[in-house]
Amino acid sequence: MDAELATLCQACGLCCDGSLFGRVPLAPGEAASARRNRLLVLDSERGFEQPCTALSVRDTRSGPEHVCSIYRERPTACRSFACRLYDRHEREGGPLEPRLAAVQRVRQLVADLQAQGLSPTDFEADPGNPSRPSESAKLAYAELMRRLEEDFARA
Ligand code: SF4
Ligand code: SF4
């Protein structure tokens, strides 16, 4: 099971690459270690910025592999985070492929929107904005939000 969960997270990386979080909290006393590991620590020392500078992405035959380069020294918040998809697989087991497919679908939706130069703020209701997103982009965004909530919110 541990190997399957590692495979899932390595295929995903959404909780490290800025897709889910803009910032990650640091516990008291963790700022020095985070700086030593070249994380982008906030002036307040209460967190660090994402996309995480410790995230390493390698191309493999089965797709990009996401690896934390400071895994043994990662902050407490990183150690304690589990998304719903991860949690479901850990509790229920079953085939890994549908979980990996869920990751791939979210990654595809993010890539599609980025290819159109869109960010989440572009989807806020603004009927007077002539450059507002197309209907297809709105549908993609709605599916992305639904999937993030169902599978990638904190378990
Ligand atoms: S979002 Fe979930 S599946 Fe993806 S890397 Fe984080 S814990 Fe793993
Ligand atoms: S320190 Fe590691 S686990 Fe934490 S956000 Fe960065 S890459 Fe992810």
Side-chain angles (χ1 to χ4, degrees):
M1 177 56 73
D2 284 355
E4 290 193 357
L5 291 168
T7 298
L8 179 65
C9 287
Q10 284 167 4
C12 177
L14 289 167
C15 59
C16 304
D17 70 359
S19 298
L20 300 182
F21 308 112
R23 290 175 177 176
V24 177
L26 286 171
E30 286 188 326
S33 158
R35 283 207 177 90
R36 196 169 58 247
N37 284 314
R38 301 177 189 276
L39 300 185
L40 301 176
V41 178
L42 303 174
D43 289 344
S44 67
E45 300 193 341
R46 290 185 178 175
F48 65 94
E49 303 270 12
Q50 288 207 349
C52 183
T53 49
L55 179 64
S56 160
V57 185
R58 293 191 293 245
D59 283 326
T60 71
R61 264 189 286 180
S62 54
E65 184 180 82
H66 305 79
V67 176
C68 173
S69 60
I70 58 163
Y71 190 75
R72 288 173 189 273
E73 295 183 55
R74 68 198 190 286
T76 305
C78 302
R79 293 172 191 274
S80 63
F81 180 78
C83 69
R84 290 174 178 171
L85 190 72
Y86 180 106
D87 180 64
R88 214 176 291 136
H89 194 69
E90 189 173 40
R91 284 186 294 104
E92 300 171 7
L96 186 60
E97 285 70 22
R99 321 283 195 210
L100 292 171
V103 167
Q104 297 311 332
R105 180 60 184 158
V106 163
R107 289 217 151 273
Q108 186 62 56
L109 288 165
V110 169
D112 288 351
L113 293 174
Q114 285 176 341
Q116 296 181 55
L118 294 169
S119 71
T121 53
D122 296 314
F123 294 87
E124 291 164 7
D126 183 6
N129 180 356
S131 62
R132 62 185 183 273
S134 64
E135 286 307 312
S136 65
K138 284 182 189 171
L139 285 174
Y141 176 73
E143 181 183 345
L144 177 61
M145 290 299 105
R146 177 178 59 75
R147 286 177 174 272
L148 289 179
E149 172 61 23
E150 285 177 2
D151 286 339
F152 297 98
R154 182 183 288 276

